[in-house]
Amino acid sequence: MNNEYVLSERSESGLRELKRKYERLILKVCLGVLNSREDAEECANDALLAVWESIERDYPENLTAYVCKIARRKALNRLRYNTAPMRSSELLTELDECLPSTQYSPESAFENAELSAALNDWLGTLSEKQRALFMRRYFFSESIKDAARFCRMSVTAATSALSRLRGSLKKYLSERGFDYEN
């Protein structure tokens, strides 16, 4: 029986298989964003439940990417909650300089979809190594050291490359009309 069938039928064995296969990855993504193992474990459980609940509506083309996206979103939401009065996350601070400021509202859903499409287009312009470095740092929330090691770069080279990539992203988005005024 394939995973898609087991998950879409919402059998209990599907939930166990989802947890067995993705729990470590989800926890790693959550730990990359959050500094608290307790918060990361709670977010990981929330992410597994969110994946489980959403599978019936829409089975994703790439389950691993879908699971990571939900885990990351749960962790970022927890981070925002934990740091509501102040923004102390290094990752969010780094990305704030190259992404337009947005606050979620029903009206902003379309703009967020446009931003997502533009980000995907920009990622498509990068070399495989640049894309891997950027995604590992900002999507999977890996440390610069770990992302650099994966890409076989020094930490200094990775830091410099990430700075250039953020500048490139800001320019790319600005050229496409995304607003940076606060």
Side-chain angles (χ1 to χ4, degrees):
M1 199 178 288
N2 72 25
N3 286 342
E4 183 174 340
Y5 175 76
V6 172
L7 289 174
S8 64
E9 288 297 311
R10 300 184 51 82
S11 71
E12 206 168 301
S13 64
L15 181 57
R16 280 193 304 272
E17 181 64 16
L18 182 69
K19 185 174 181 172
R20 183 194 66 75
K21 187 170 183 182
Y22 293 104
E23 184 174 41
R24 286 182 58 198
L25 176 61
I26 290 172
L27 185 58
K28 181 178 179 181
V29 169
C30 292
L31 277 169
V33 174
L34 301 164
N35 291 326
S36 162
R37 182 157 188 95
E38 183 179 318
D39 282 348
E41 288 173 352
E42 188 174 325
C43 282
N45 287 331
D46 290 348
L48 279 167
L49 182 60
V51 170
W52 179 247
E53 289 175 343
S54 66
I55 286 295
E56 188 175 32
R57 292 187 309 271
D58 181 35
Y59 196 88
E61 198 171 302
N62 183 330
L63 184 57
T64 301
Y66 183 74
V67 165
C68 288
K69 180 179 177 180
I70 288 176
R72 184 172 184 274
R73 186 175 298 140
K74 292 287 184 184
L76 287 172
N77 287 344
R78 174 58 62 93
L79 180 65
R80 284 184 189 100
Y81 174 80
N82 288 348
T83 60
M86 60 185 184
R87 308 240 5 219
S88 62
S89 168
E90 177 186 341
L91 285 176
L92 292 177
T93 302
E94 286 177 15
L95 282 179
D96 275 349
E97 70 185 41
C98 61
L99 293 177
S101 61
T102 58
Q103 296 217 336
Y104 182 77
S105 68
E107 298 81 28
S108 69
F110 180 73
E111 287 118 9
N112 290 339
E114 285 183 327
L115 177 59
S116 180
L119 283 167
N120 285 330
D121 291 344
W122 176 77
L123 286 167
T125 69
L126 303 180
S127 71
E128 192 173 319
K129 188 174 188 176
Q130 290 172 318
R131 189 170 39 255
L133 180 65
F134 190 86
M135 293 298 290
R136 285 185 167 276
R137 177 67 177 140
Y138 298 117
F139 187 80
F140 294 111
S141 305
E142 287 186 357
S143 68
I144 293 176
K145 181 180 176 182
D146 289 343
R149 184 181 315 122
F150 179 85
C151 294
R152 298 180 184 194
M153 303 171 76
S154 70
V155 172
T156 303
T159 301
S160 180
L162 287 167
S163 178
R164 286 191 304 274
L165 287 169
R166 289 191 308 271
S168 168
L169 175 59
K170 183 175 182 176
K171 180 180 177 196
Y172 186 90
L173 293 175
S174 184
E175 289 171 352
R176 279 145 189 84
F178 289 93
D179 186 17
Y180 287 92
E181 294 180 27
N182 292 331

